[in-house]
Amino acid sequence: AGALVIVRVSDLTQATSAPGILLADTWHHIEFRCHINNSGIADVYVDGVLAIDGGTADYYVNVPGGMTIMLLGGSYSSTISPGNIYDDLVIRTDDTGLPALLGEHRIHSLLPSADTAQADWTGTYADIDDPLGAVNDGDTSYISTSTLNNKSEFAVADLPVSPTTIHAVQTTVVAKKTDTGTKGVTAYVKSGATRGDGAEFGAANGAYRIKMDIHELNPDGAVAWTETTVNSMLVGVEITT
């Protein structure tokens, strides 16, 4: 129990860590690296220490190819089964081989915390500040508009820590339409006077859709984000078509 295993999908070849490397009721940082290739390589680090050396192998055989990583949590029964909680999933892709270790990262969810003077939509920040993991209350609280080019902007809560590096900012919007026709919605970040728009998405009639956009750079100067610029940024939504 408490072990990790890499499984090659094509033939179920396994590489397993030592047992007990993961402790019950304890958070661990797990980093899984792989190079999917006929002469690929894979390894797993737990809390910065090498836990599995998958070695060099053909990780690109047959279809489907590739590999998966699994947790060996313990024995299952009809009444008891091991439970695992995963948080802050970070995925990096690189086509040049086995990437360097990323190290421990955290994702912080910053909720709308105040209205601004740009408030064309009906409703306030308090209608859209549901905490992460909260049940979507559907049509109980929301902001709304039916007018082209209407936009509203909101301040967001400050970061709870002072990070040395910020890799990106992501916006997440849940939206739907209640009338006929088409409506395009664009979510954006605003740093200073400069907007960074996400990709427009079509709100579906009668059904909520989730749209996420990643902004790797601060749009004000196309530079890396800092604690100061994240804490002072605004987030907004606009009807763009």
Side-chain angles (χ1 to χ4, degrees), residues 127-201:
D127 297 308
I128 54 171
D129 66 344
D130 297 331
L132 184 68
V135 176
N136 184 351
D137 65 11
D139 297 333
T140 300
S141 59
Y142 55 88
I143 61 174
S144 64
T145 188
S146 60
T147 304
L148 182 65
N149 300 134
N150 267 9
K151 56 182 176 287
S152 283
E153 298 171 354
F154 307 92
V156 297
D158 287 349
L159 286 163
V161 298
S162 296
T164 56
T165 301
I166 299 174
H167 294 287
V169 167
Q170 175 181 290
T171 58
T172 302
V173 174
V174 181
K176 78 170 184 179
K177 288 178 71 272
T178 58
D179 57 352
T180 59
T182 59
K183 280 288 189 295
V185 181
T186 298
Y188 59 90
V189 295
K190 188 174 183 180
S191 181
T194 306
R195 268 178 54 163
D197 288 5
E200 182 185 85
F201 73 103

Side-chain angles (χ1 to χ4, degrees), residues 103-144:
E104 186 171 350
H105 289 64
R106 293 184 180 180
I107 299 172
H108 296 286
S109 297
L110 308 179
L111 303 176
S113 60
D115 298 312
T116 69
Q118 183 61 60
D120 296 334
W121 292 46
T122 300
T124 72
Y125 83 92
D127 297 308
I128 54 171
D129 66 344
D130 297 331
L132 184 68
V135 176
N136 184 351
D137 65 11
D139 297 333
T140 300
S141 59
Y142 55 88
I143 61 174
S144 64

Side-chain angles (χ1 to χ4, degrees), residues 49-134:
V49 178
L50 181 65
I52 302 176
D53 183 352
T56 301
D58 185 354
Y59 290 114
Y60 196 67
V61 290
N62 303 322
V63 177
M67 67 189 79
T68 186
I69 182 171
M70 298 188 302
L71 170 63
L72 300 182
S75 300
Y76 286 83
S77 72
S78 60
T79 58
I80 301 175
S81 62
N84 311 306
I85 299 174
Y86 301 92
D87 195 12
D88 294 358
L89 175 65
V90 178
I91 299 175
R92 171 188 174 186
T93 58
D94 193 333
D95 61 0
T96 60
L98 196 65
L101 287 169
L102 289 175
E104 186 171 350
H105 289 64
R106 293 184 180 180
I107 299 172
H108 296 286
S109 297
L110 308 179
L111 303 176
S113 60
D115 298 312
T116 69
Q118 183 61 60
D120 296 334
W121 292 46
T122 300
T124 72
Y125 83 92
D127 297 308
I128 54 171
D129 66 344
D130 297 331
L132 184 68

